[in-house]
């Protein structure tokens, strides 16, 4: 997987994360599973012990060989996330939202809106540090576990089902830690590079040419102007349906 580097967004998130208190994984947390069919969420309840998932990086879709996983990173964002949600709803598509902890903490209503529409949550760390794989295990733990706490609180008790390292900077330690907390490490196969604003036609062409490489497609709903992302999704989603693909979630 290509690493994302050089984004001013990273610096803003790192600054926003200063002062976050490092917490160990809570012994008692509130949880509820998101409804994949798009129903309303159940009331939060005390969780059973976390079921460990596989620690290898997932790429496959739960819809099989003709499945596609739409993944949306770096939010939620008050300008762009509502527009992405409306577009997905209009298209009848479910997605996985990889949320930055500080963003989830700032916009809990948007976290709940994502879940109310039947999408799934993914932990994308506290501050989106793309050099995670060069950091100490203590730092990696803080980034993952504090983000887990922030997202659970913002969601009203729903756990992230996946963990995506910023820029793909996974380590064996971070993968094992996430898996032990019930979060399957999540990769991608098709990088639209929408954060670079390459143009709608380029993004659409990338998906069309690379979707045969694997089902998980990477977009963003925060970190800058996402108008190109929205325009590209409006073309890509119906095209994928026309090609016989269906939309699902990454395997766990």
């Amino acid at each position: 997987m290509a690493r994302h580097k050089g984004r001013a967004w990273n610096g803003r998130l790192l600054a926003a994360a200063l002062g976050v208190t490092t917490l160990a994984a809570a012994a008692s947390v509130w949880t509820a599973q998101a409804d994949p069919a798009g129903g309303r969420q159940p009331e939060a309840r005390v969780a059973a012990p976390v079921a460990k998932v596989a620690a290898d990086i997932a790429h496959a879709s739960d819809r099989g060989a003709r499945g596609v996983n739409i993944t949306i990173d770096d939010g939620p964002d008050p300008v762009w996330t509502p527009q992405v949600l409306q577009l997905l709803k209009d298209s009848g598509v479910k997605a996985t939202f990889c949320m930055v902890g500080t963003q989830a903490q700032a916009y809990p209503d948007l976290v709940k809106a994502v879940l109310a529409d039947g999408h799934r949550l993914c932990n994308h760390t506290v501050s989106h540090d793309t050099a995670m794989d060069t950091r100490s295990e203590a730092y990696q733990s803080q980034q993952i576990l504090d983000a887990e706490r922030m997202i659970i609180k913002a969601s009203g008790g729903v756990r992230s089902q996946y963990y995506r390292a910023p820029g793909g900077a996974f380590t064996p330690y971070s993968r094992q830690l996430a898996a032990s907390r019930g979060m399957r490490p999540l990769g991608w196969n098709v990088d639209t590079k929408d954060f670079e604003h390459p143009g709608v036609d380029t993004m659409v062409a990338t998906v069309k040419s690379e979707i045969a490489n694997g089902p998980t497609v990477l977009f963003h709903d925060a970190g800058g102007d996402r108008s190109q992302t929205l325009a590209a999704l409006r073309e890509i989603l119906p095209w994928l349906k026309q090609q016989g693909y269906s939309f699902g979630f990454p395997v766990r």
Side-chain angles (χ1 to χ4, degrees):
M1 294 183 294
R3 176 168 300 186
H4 299 162
K5 294 183 178 179
R7 283 184 278 171
W9 181 236
N10 295 340
R12 292 199 297 274
L13 288 170
L14 283 166
L18 291 175
V20 172
T21 302
T22 302
L23 295 178
S28 176
V29 297
W30 294 84
T31 190
Q33 289 299 316
D35 179 2
R40 299 188 68 81
Q41 299 304 305
E43 292 298 320
R45 61 187 184 274
V46 176
V50 178
K52 183 176 180 179
V53 295
D56 58 310
I57 299 173
H59 295 88
S61 174
D62 63 3
R63 290 297 185 95
R66 298 297 288 177
V68 171
N69 307 320
I70 300 297
T71 63
I72 314 289
D73 283 19
D74 293 4
D77 179 272
V79 173
W80 301 108
T81 302
Q83 296 182 63
V84 171
L85 285 174
Q86 188 61 56
L87 190 157
L88 293 172
K89 181 179 290 186
D90 293 344
S91 303
V93 172
K94 304 303 179 190
T96 300
F97 284 75
C98 299
M99 295 188 175
V100 173
T102 51
Q103 295 295 108
Q105 181 174 257
Y107 304 108
D109 289 347
L110 290 177
V111 180
K112 294 180 178 70
V114 165
L115 290 166
D117 282 357
H119 307 294
R120 288 186 181 178
L121 300 181
C122 171
N123 180 327
H124 204 34
T125 74
V126 171
S127 56
H128 200 278
D129 183 355
T130 57
M132 279 275 286
D133 55 350
T134 69
R135 310 298 191 190
S136 69
E137 290 184 355
Y139 178 88
Q140 294 176 57
S141 177
Q142 175 263 319
Q143 286 285 310
I144 295 169
L145 298 182
D146 278 6
E148 178 187 38
R149 174 182 60 82
M150 290 173 173
I151 293 169
I152 288 174
K153 182 177 181 180
S155 69
V158 180
R159 286 186 180 279
S160 298
Q161 298 190 42
Y162 309 94
Y163 164 67
R164 175 174 275 167
F170 289 99
T171 66
Y173 175 81
S174 68
R175 290 191 291 104
Q176 291 291 341
L177 176 61
S180 75
R181 303 297 304 158
M183 296 177 283
R184 179 74 183 267
L186 176 59
W188 64 82
N189 305 103
V190 182
D191 185 356
T192 63
K193 292 184 168 57
D194 57 345
F195 61 90
E196 295 179 352
H197 307 106
V200 175
D201 290 346
T202 297
M203 292 165 61
V204 171
T206 295
V207 174
K208 289 182 176 181
S209 65
E210 296 184 13
I211 192 64
N213 298 336
T216 303
V217 187
L218 174 60
F219 295 94
H220 296 81
D221 64 343
D225 185 334
R226 294 289 164 248
S227 56
Q228 288 187 10
T229 299
L230 289 165
L233 280 167
R234 289 190 187 98
E235 293 189 38
I236 289 165
L237 298 180
W239 180 84
L240 287 167
K241 290 180 180 180
Q242 291 165 7
Q243 302 306 304
Y245 290 99
S246 61
F247 298 92
F249 297 110
V251 295
R252 299 186 71 245

